[in-house]
Amino acid sequence: MNEVIQTMMNHRSYRQYSDKPVPDDHLQAILHAAQWGPSWIHGQQVSVIVIREPNERELFAELVGGQAHVAQAPIFLVFCADFHRAAVAAEARGKFLAALEDVDALMVGATDVGIALSNAITAAESLGLGTVPIGGIRRQPLRVIETLQLPSYVIPISGLCIGYPEETVEQKPRLPLDVFTHDGRYEPLSQKTLATYDELISDNTKQRTGGATTTTWSDRLISFYEQPYYQEIAAMLKQQGFTCKNVKEEG
């Protein structure tokens, strides 16, 4: 196992950071690593907004649902799926991007963001920094779009806190590798395996919280997926110019 793989397998999410600044050369290395991730058709459908100023980080901490670590981390990155550049290229040639009416465009953008985000996390952690992705950037996407002055066809997908950790965090157990990996064809998850993993997560949660909670993996998963978690997604897509045929706006 080499150092790159060790770094990736040592990942954990940090939510407490020191006030030590991230060196500019470290940040540039992280951004370069993110940019050099592969993208569909070499379209480079990702843009990253760097948030440094304390008052701006305070604002984003509010926008993502009151997550204090967003304000505490010295660097907050906003990863966006970006088809604006493609739209500019098409406009210059009098073309219409019909593919942006298909939900596949959202899958392309989100996938490309995920790759760039993963590269950024690995690069940051290889430099001794801590990170935590922030899906809450989609909680109030219209305000995020307004704050960042995002043009049409650019949508915020995820945030990322970066800084020097000021806490010790234990890794959460993952599902067994033979549940994550399927040989030749998909093998459905058995109730027995699920129950075993739920017990493992419950014990781990109890230990991490000093007995305050024993939430299982299933409990947490179901609580997020019982109903739509972020309500403004359809409105955001409409505002940004995406007219996906199978995405309906609530209300």
Side-chain angles (χ1 to χ4, degrees), residues 86-115:
V88 170
E91 183 179 4
R93 291 158 179 76
K95 301 289 186 179
F96 172 69
L97 300 182
L100 295 185
E101 294 189 353
D102 194 283
V103 72
D104 186 61
L106 299 180
M107 296 179 65
V108 166
T111 298
D112 283 2
V113 163
I115 293 170

Side-chain angles (χ1 to χ4, degrees), residues 139-236:
R139 179 181 291 272
Q140 299 186 66
L142 299 178
R143 287 190 62 191
V144 170
I145 288 168
E146 180 183 5
T147 300
L148 297 178
Q149 299 180 15
L150 301 182
S152 297
Y153 302 117
V154 179
I155 54 176
I157 299 291
S158 181
L160 182 68
C161 294
I162 299 177
Y164 289 97
E166 203 171 54
E167 63 176 336
T168 301
V169 175
E170 298 296 327
Q171 283 187 310
K172 297 176 183 177
R174 294 297 198 259
L175 287 161
L177 187 61
D178 59 3
V179 172
F180 174 77
T181 306
H182 305 264
D183 191 4
R185 59 183 57 81
Y186 190 92
E187 294 292 337
L189 177 65
S190 72
Q191 289 294 330
K192 181 179 179 180
T193 299
L194 177 59
T196 300
Y197 184 63
D198 271 341
E199 183 177 357
L200 177 64
I201 290 294
S202 179
D203 290 344
N204 178 264
T205 303
K206 182 179 180 180
Q207 180 179 354
R208 288 188 296 105
T209 62
T213 180
T214 57
T215 304
T216 68
W217 182 75
S218 293
D219 291 336
R220 181 170 174 79
L221 202 64
I222 292 168
S223 71
F224 275 89
Y225 290 128
E226 277 187 311
Q227 57 187 358
Y229 198 68
Y230 299 134
Q231 302 295 325
E232 292 187 8
I233 298 298
M236 172 186 68

